Amino acid sequence: MKIKKWKTYRAMGNREKREGANWLLFFVFGFFLGVLLVNVKTGYFLEDNLFFGEELLSRLSYTSFHNEQYMVYLLQNRMGILLFLLVAATTIFGIVILYLYVAWFGMSLGILMAVVTIRYGGKGILIFFAALLPQDILYIPAFLMLVNLLHDLCAVIYFPGKMFRSISTGKKQFFARGAFTYIFLTGVVIIGVFFESYVNPFILRKILIFL
């Protein structure tokens, strides 16, 4: 009995490692691609009106911030991404789209870090992390769970052999549990949007004034 349980736990651990390794590979690829793009097209990315230029940072530091309007914009953006990924996962290209999304997310972070580092040197690292906190503490695990869930959703429809996790309880239970998880993750993202709208501007402003 103990041997059987040990094999089960080992299998679960292997699946988790496989999940993490797959997403991490595409994230890292996208991240370094973003850094490379900035170094190749430095003039474009460092234009004053783009990507954390001095004028933009000055406005963030000393002008009033319309948190409510920003929150509405972020809600539309984040909910749009959630809906897009859900719809994409129901198509035969869903798994490919999910991997491309993870690579795109890594690329966007790579571009951001490269730009602020080139512009502001060591201070750019502080600006980079200030731009991500505290919302990404929620976003990153939420979207990681989401892409895992949607990967299996696409797999159970089109490629059962490529699922990260087995569905021994049956497809109906899988869809019911998946729907609950999707709703829960949507709630987590909404909380992240609140933090990004009201807490992050405060943190970023304090860092910019300090620098």
Side-chain angles (χ1 to χ4, degrees):
M1 189 68 176
K2 290 183 177 180
I3 294 176
K4 186 176 180 181
K5 286 185 177 180
W6 179 80
K7 288 183 177 179
T8 301
Y9 291 141
R10 183 179 180 182
M12 291 173 61
N14 289 336
R15 284 197 299 268
E16 290 174 357
K17 289 179 181 178
R18 182 157 57 102
E19 294 170 26
N22 287 344
W23 301 125
L24 180 62
L25 178 64
F26 276 79
F27 174 83
V28 171
F29 170 77
F31 183 86
F32 283 108
L33 180 60
V35 173
L36 178 63
L37 283 174
V38 173
N39 283 275
V40 171
K41 295 288 187 180
T42 304
Y44 170 76
F45 285 100
L46 267 65
E47 289 180 5
D48 286 340
N49 59 335
L50 293 172
F51 304 106
F52 282 83
E54 292 183 4
E55 182 180 350
L56 174 61
L57 293 187
S58 178
R59 290 178 180 178
L60 288 174
S61 300
Y62 300 107
T63 61
S64 59
F65 198 81
H66 300 287
N67 303 88
E68 296 82 2
Q69 296 178 11
Y70 188 45
M71 185 171 180
V72 171
Y73 164 78
L74 289 176
L75 276 174
Q76 292 174 342
N77 179 273
R78 304 295 184 257
M79 294 303 105
I81 292 174
L82 289 176
L83 182 59
F84 168 76
L85 293 178
L86 175 62
V87 173
T90 63
T91 72
I92 196 170
F93 302 107
I95 292 177
V96 174
I97 293 172
L98 289 171
Y99 279 117
L100 290 176
Y101 171 77
V102 172
W104 173 84
F105 180 70
M107 185 175 69
S108 64
L109 290 184
I111 290 173
L112 174 61
M113 192 187 77
V115 168
V116 296
T117 301
I118 292 174
R119 279 187 182 278
Y120 306 107
K123 295 179 181 179
I125 301 298
L126 288 176
I127 296 173
F128 174 73
F129 284 109
L132 301 181
L133 295 175
Q135 67 273 8
D136 275 63
I137 296 175
L138 295 177
Y139 286 156
I140 291 175
F143 276 98
L144 179 59
M145 292 177 65
L146 179 69
V147 292
N148 282 334
L149 172 67
L150 296 181
H151 175 284
D152 281 356
L153 173 62
C154 183
V156 76
I157 298 173
Y158 300 102
F159 317 103
K162 293 185 177 295
M163 290 189 65
F164 284 142
R165 302 180 185 278
S166 63
I167 54 169
S168 55
T169 55
K171 287 186 178 182
K172 288 185 178 180
Q173 288 78 3
F174 168 80
F175 287 126
R177 190 165 58 247
F180 174 81
T181 304
Y182 182 86
I183 293 171
F184 171 77
L185 293 177
T186 299
V188 173
V189 171
I190 291 173
I191 296 173
V193 167
F194 175 82
F195 286 153
E196 190 173 2
S197 304
Y198 288 91
V199 181
N200 176 256
F202 174 80
I203 293 175
L204 188 57
R205 180 173 295 176
K206 291 296 182 183
I207 291 294
L208 293 177
I209 292 175
F210 173 77
L211 295 178

